């Protein structure tokens, strides 16, 4: 039979093992990025910094990231882009990963942008206008207060090949007011893809690479008279 001293030693070892196991089970695991979450390229701080906040069209769903309109705008002006857009998201509507524009703005607040691109989105067209208004006012206010020298550039909803419902105009008006209330620039780009199924993917919603180029060119045409340069 084990001696008394040996029993004491065994009990001590067992207690230590339990304590270690308890620590590892209660310690929070470091969160990892969800599969498919885009990783932003390292920012080139020798260039003006631009952040994009938006939906799947700003993200570039179904095409390469460098073919999405924020990337095309950044390349045109020589800006370094951090694209925070999430597919399916809006000011109120959660995206595929559960994030709204709230989480995108939270990330943006830790960066140092010279320009902020923010898009109204079709994803909010069925949401409560009061909630969209509240969120847009709050988030644009935070962006302006945190980055008073950054230029905020908003755009209207990028729609697909069909005719948009009236609720899209409601969302556009809400976001326009939120952007202009903080001194930002809001661009009405119309619906350049409407009636052009050749410019969208098979879902009829998301621009293909050619469609994204049309969207970017339309934005550039609105920016040019405003003197926005690199």
């Amino acid at each position: 039979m084990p001696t008394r001293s040996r029993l004491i030693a065994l009990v001590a070892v067992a207690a230590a093992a339990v304590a270690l196991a308890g620590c590892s089970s209660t310690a929070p695991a470091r969160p990892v990025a969800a599969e498919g979450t885009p990783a932003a390229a390292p920012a080139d701080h020798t260039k003006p910094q631009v952040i994009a906040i938006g939906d799947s069209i700003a993200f570039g769903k179904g095409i390469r990231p460098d073919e999405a309109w924020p990337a095309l705008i950044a390349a045109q002006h020589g800006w370094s882009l951090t694209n925070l857009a999430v597919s399916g998201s809006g000011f109120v509507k959660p995206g595929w990963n559960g994030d709204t524009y709230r989480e995108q703005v939270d990330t943006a607040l830790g960066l140092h942008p010279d320009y902020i691109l923010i898009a109204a989105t079709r994803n909010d067209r069925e949401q409560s206008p009061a909630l969209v208004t509240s969120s847009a006012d709050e988030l644009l206010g935070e962006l302006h207060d945190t980055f008073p020298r950054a230029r905020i550039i908003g755009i209207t909803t990028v729609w697909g090949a069909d005719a948009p419902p009236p609720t899209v105009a409601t969302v556009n008006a809400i976001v326009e007011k939120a952007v202009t209330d903080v001194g930002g620039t809001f661009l009405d780009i119309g619906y350049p893809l409407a009636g052009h199924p050749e410019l969208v993917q098979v879902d009829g919603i998301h621009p293909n690479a050619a469609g994204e180029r049309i969207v970017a060119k339309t934005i550039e045409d609105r920016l040019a008279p405003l003197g926005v340069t690199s």
Side-chain angles (χ1 to χ4, degrees):
M1 291 181 61
T3 64
R4 178 180 176 82
S5 60
R6 179 163 179 155
L7 283 172
I8 293 172
L10 288 171
V11 169
V13 170
V18 169
L20 287 172
C23 290
S24 62
S25 64
T26 57
R30 172 175 292 184
V32 297
E35 184 177 354
T37 299
D44 180 353
H45 294 290
T46 63
K47 301 179 178 180
Q49 304 297 301
V50 58
I51 290 169
I53 294 167
D55 56 12
S56 56
I57 296 173
F59 166 76
K61 182 177 180 180
I63 57 175
R64 297 196 317 265
D66 64 331
E67 294 176 322
W69 69 261
L72 297 175
I73 296 295
Q76 174 73 19
H77 291 273
W79 299 337
S80 180
L81 171 68
T82 300
N83 193 342
L84 302 176
V86 172
S87 292
S89 67
F91 283 97
V92 176
K93 175 72 165 56
W96 70 271
N97 63 353
D99 287 357
T100 66
Y101 280 19
R102 166 78 272 169
E103 285 74 24
Q104 295 182 47
V105 169
D106 284 345
T107 300
L109 295 179
L111 303 175
H112 304 283
D114 300 291
Y115 297 91
I116 299 169
L117 304 174
I118 187 163
T121 173
R122 63 182 293 142
N123 297 326
D124 282 328
R125 71 192 185 281
E126 296 179 354
Q127 305 301 311
S128 160
L131 290 178
V132 176
T133 299
S134 175
S135 177
D137 288 346
E138 177 183 354
L139 298 185
L140 267 300
E142 288 183 16
L143 288 169
H144 176 261
D145 290 347
T146 304
F147 309 113
R149 296 185 179 180
R151 184 156 192 178
I152 298 174
I153 301 169
I155 70 164
T156 48
T157 300
V158 178
W159 193 257
D162 59 343
T167 50
V168 170
T170 299
V171 172
N172 288 339
I174 290 170
V175 179
E176 178 178 14
K177 185 175 187 304
V179 170
T180 56
D181 278 354
V182 297
T185 299
F186 192 79
L187 308 176
D188 184 348
I189 66 168
Y191 303 109
L193 307 180
H196 293 282
E198 75 279 5
L199 296 177
V200 299
Q201 300 175 43
V202 293
D203 60 10
I205 297 173
H206 296 92
N208 54 29
E212 292 273 5
R213 289 195 295 272
I214 292 296
V215 170
K217 182 181 184 306
T218 306
I219 294 171
E220 282 295 335
D221 288 345
R222 304 295 190 275
L223 281 176
L226 304 178
V228 177
T229 60
S230 58

